[in-house]
């Protein structure tokens, strides 16, 4: 008689995925899902405390947190990415969830509002 075996819908064992915006919302839930599927997750956001708390609760091992401001430190991204990939295995995925909500009437929007996003 065949035995029913539960399999993960997707096995990400051995994968290293960088998630921006991991300290909140969509990025945080995506990070949890990736870790449940077996990936090593590199958590990125500005709030180091929230990244640390998330990492502590993730299943699996090999996760890392990287506190980084993707807007203020825009020019350092290439150097920062090189450091991350040297310290970890090569990235096999990137999920970009960082962003800000801004409910600003279009007529009143300033270029600075767009730059923050
Ligand atoms: N939720 C929705 O239903 C929905 C629908 C459509 C589109 N979106 C868009 O999807 C994006 C994420 O939405 P969300 O609901 O997950 O928002 P959220 O809960 O506010 O999360 C935003 C994430 O972006 C990070 N972040 C913001 N500015 C950053 C910066 N300069 N450098 C690094 N990280 C930065 C924040 O981390 P720190 O504060 O730690 O830096 C946080 O982790 C937003 O752009 C939103 O407009 C959301």
């Amino acid at each position: 008689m065949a035995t029913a075996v539960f399999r993960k819908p997707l096995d990400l064992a051995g994968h290293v995925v960088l998630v921006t915006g991991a300290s909140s919302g969509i990025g945080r839930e995506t990070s949890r899902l990736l870790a449940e599927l077996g990936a090593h997750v590199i958590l990125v956001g500005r709030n180091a405390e929230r990244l640390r708390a998330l990492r502590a609760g993730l299943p699996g091992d090999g996760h890392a947190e990287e506190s980084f401001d993707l807007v203020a430190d825009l020019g350092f991204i290439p150097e920062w990415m090189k450091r991350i990939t040297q310290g970890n295995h090569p990235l096999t995925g990137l999920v970009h969830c960082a962003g800000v909500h801004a409910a600003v009437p279009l007529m009143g929007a300033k270029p600075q509002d767009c730059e923050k996003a």
Side-chain angles (χ1 to χ4, degrees), residues 20-28 44-48 50-51 68-72 96-102 116-117:
T20 71
S23 58
S24 178
I26 300 169
R28 182 164 52 200
V44 178
R46 293 166 299 182
N47 188 314
R50 281 189 287 161
L51 293 176
F68 191 84
D69 189 326
L70 292 159
V71 175
H96 184 46
C97 301
V100 291
H101 304 266
K116 274 191 254 165

Side-chain angles (χ1 to χ4, degrees), residues 5-91:
V5 178
F6 173 77
R7 292 183 198 280
K8 289 178 183 174
L10 181 65
D11 186 359
L12 294 180
H15 285 261
V16 182
V17 184
L18 184 145
V19 181
T20 71
S23 58
S24 178
I26 300 169
R28 182 164 52 200
E29 294 314 309
T30 301
S31 300
R32 286 190 176 126
L33 177 60
L34 289 167
E36 278 164 20
L37 293 172
H40 303 301
V41 190
I42 303 175
L43 310 164
V44 178
R46 293 166 299 182
N47 188 314
E49 205 172 303
R50 281 189 287 161
L51 293 176
R52 224 178 353 260
L54 174 63
R55 182 186 175 187
L58 290 183
D61 58 10
H63 310 301
E65 74 238 21
E66 281 285 334
S67 183
F68 191 84
D69 189 326
L70 292 159
V71 175
D73 298 330
L74 189 65
F76 295 107
I77 289 178
E79 197 180 307
W80 173 69
M81 286 295 286
K82 270 188 209 148
R83 183 178 60 72
I84 290 178
T85 50
Q86 279 163 6
N88 295 281
H89 299 291
L91 292 185

